[in-house]
Amino acid sequence: MRADRLVSLVLLLRQRGRLSAPTIARELEVSIRTVLRDIEALSAAGVPVYAERGRYGGFELLPGFQTELTGLNNDEALALLVAGSRRGAQVFGLGSALASAMLKVVDALPEGYRDTAAGAVQRLLIDPDTDLLSRRQVVEEVSDAVAAEIRSAVFAGHKLRIHYAAVDQAPRWRTVDPIGLVTVRDQGYLLATRSGEDRTYRLSRVLAAEELEEPAQRSDRVDLQRTWQERSTNFRTGGDQITVLLRVNPARREDLMLTVLAVTADEVDPDGWLRLEVTFQDTRHAEWALWQLATNAVLAPQSLRTTLHTRATTIATRYAPPS
């Protein structure tokens, strides 16, 4: 860890020039005392870093100092910078490692491309915090300690103990055989088996994790894409699912697609509205999702029509003007 931090410190000084100890500490997420120790270590190793005293002082490398990193062309570095801006690194607890890697990517550019790449990145915004309607994008929090234990067990092929809080259940410990990690729409999942049965765990619900020394019972090779597709199919076909027939304004189709499990029929009526047959995970989810569609019509089942009618009547009565 310290070796990576020292490299990051050198790259930071190369790219930003003179920096104060508090600024370096903030960038590397360490204490000022750690920064001072790292500066001493670099000097002892022969890296020409020196301190400038005074109000505008700080630490700086001697002009012309070069690190020995493999060069990339402009488009290659830009592709890595764009890929590295995705939130998967945050979901899997690799945010600080990503920041360090991005410094190395920029530094690896030939000198003539470095400013060009930095300027290009300023023109790209990947996954902003809000969309055009100012709706915040929800990014689930996973502690770095938990993510590190899970990653280590996955890559080393060891069994894993997790303290997991399933929906509507008290948290409890489980011992699993980890298979791989998946991120979907900023949500992270651990694919595993427990007692030979397939299990999928949401990372944000793992309260604590402990890598065990015992080898995991799993295949040496895995096709995560196929495994994820199989588990997605099993999820969609399980539980108390409900099929609903709808007439939907085409402008609301995208909103609907965010909530359904599957679309089993899709036709266009003469007036341009869509006639869809969709599947929801359960009745409660269907009621909530379809209420958001306002005047778009539920054609079947009648039980769901009755539920929505009762809700609408209750709200209309509550907000009726005084007689």
Side-chain angles (χ1 to χ4, degrees):
M1 288 294 293
R2 191 187 186 196
D4 288 341
R5 191 174 68 241
L6 292 176
V7 172
S8 296
L9 175 53
V10 171
L11 297 180
L12 196 62
L13 292 175
R14 276 203 58 192
Q15 295 167 24
R16 302 269 294 273
R18 183 182 303 167
L19 294 174
S20 67
T23 299
I24 296 172
R26 186 169 57 252
E27 291 286 342
L28 299 182
E29 299 180 349
V30 296
S31 67
I32 293 178
R33 180 175 296 180
T34 297
V35 170
L36 297 178
R37 286 201 299 263
D38 287 350
I39 291 291
E40 290 181 0
L42 289 175
S43 296
V47 177
V49 57
Y50 67 95
E52 185 74 26
R53 306 292 181 183
R55 180 179 178 183
Y56 299 104
F59 296 102
E60 190 172 359
L61 293 170
L62 286 176
F65 175 73
Q66 297 289 326
T67 54
E68 295 181 357
L69 294 175
T70 302
L72 301 173
N73 66 38
N74 188 61
D75 287 346
E76 289 171 341
L78 185 58
L80 288 175
L81 290 169
V82 170
S85 66
R86 306 292 295 185
R87 289 198 177 115
Q90 304 295 335
V91 173
F92 294 146
L94 292 169
S96 59
L98 173 63
S100 174
M102 290 302 98
L103 283 172
K104 295 175 184 178
V105 168
V106 173
D107 194 82
L109 279 171
E111 187 171 354
Y113 291 149
R114 199 171 297 142
D115 293 340
T116 302
V121 170
Q122 294 178 19
R123 305 292 178 177
L124 302 172
L125 178 61
I126 312 297
D127 288 338
D129 291 335
T130 60
D131 62 14
L132 285 175
L133 299 179
S134 295
R135 295 176 297 193
R136 293 196 63 82
Q137 305 297 309
V138 178
V139 180
E140 298 188 338
E141 296 294 332
V142 182
S143 78
D144 289 347
V146 167
E149 285 291 312
I150 295 175
R151 287 199 316 270
S152 180
V154 168
F155 298 148
H158 291 164
K159 285 185 178 291
L160 179 70
R161 288 185 72 235
I162 58 174
H163 195 215
Y164 191 73
V167 178
D168 299 328
Q169 295 183 23
R172 63 186 182 89
W173 285 95
R174 298 165 165 84
T175 299
V176 303
D177 296 299
I179 295 174
L181 294 166
V182 176
T183 177
V184 180
R185 293 180 181 173
D186 299 330
Q187 296 174 355
Y189 297 89
L190 167 67
L191 305 189
T193 59
R194 182 161 62 93
S195 301
E197 299 292 329
D198 290 344
R199 293 289 186 269
T200 302
Y201 300 102
R202 199 151 165 170
L203 293 184
S204 60
R205 294 177 183 158
V206 180
L207 307 180
E210 178 186 357
E211 180 185 2
L212 306 179
E213 294 184 0
E214 183 180 354
Q217 300 298 310
R218 67 182 193 182
S219 172
D220 291 336
R221 299 181 63 84
V222 62
D223 184 341
L224 273 187
Q225 178 67 33
R226 187 178 69 178
T227 301
W228 178 255
Q229 289 177 342
E230 291 173 350
R231 296 196 180 189
S232 297
T233 300
N234 292 337
F235 177 79
R236 290 195 302 270
T237 57
D240 301 323
Q241 295 183 6
I242 180 173
T243 299
V244 181
L245 182 62
L246 303 168
R247 255 178 56 85
V248 179
N249 188 317
R252 300 304 301 274
R253 189 182 194 280
E254 183 177 350
D255 295 334
L256 179 65
M257 293 303 103
L258 295 175
T259 62
V260 303
L261 292 179
V263 178
T264 53
D266 187 343
E267 299 179 357
V268 180
D269 282 345
D271 61 359
W273 277 48
L274 305 176
R275 186 176 294 261
L276 304 175
E277 185 178 78
V278 300
T279 303
F280 290 95
Q281 184 62 33
D282 52 41
T283 301
R284 185 179 66 173
H285 185 200
E287 178 185 341
W288 172 85
L290 296 173
W291 182 256
Q292 317 305 311
L293 294 180
T295 57
N296 293 271
V298 175
L299 303 180
Q302 182 59 47
S303 59
L304 186 57
R305 289 171 56 88
T306 300
T307 299
L308 293 171
H309 177 268
T310 301
R311 175 185 278 203
T313 301
T314 301
I315 291 179
T317 300
R318 178 170 299 172
Y319 293 105
S323 57

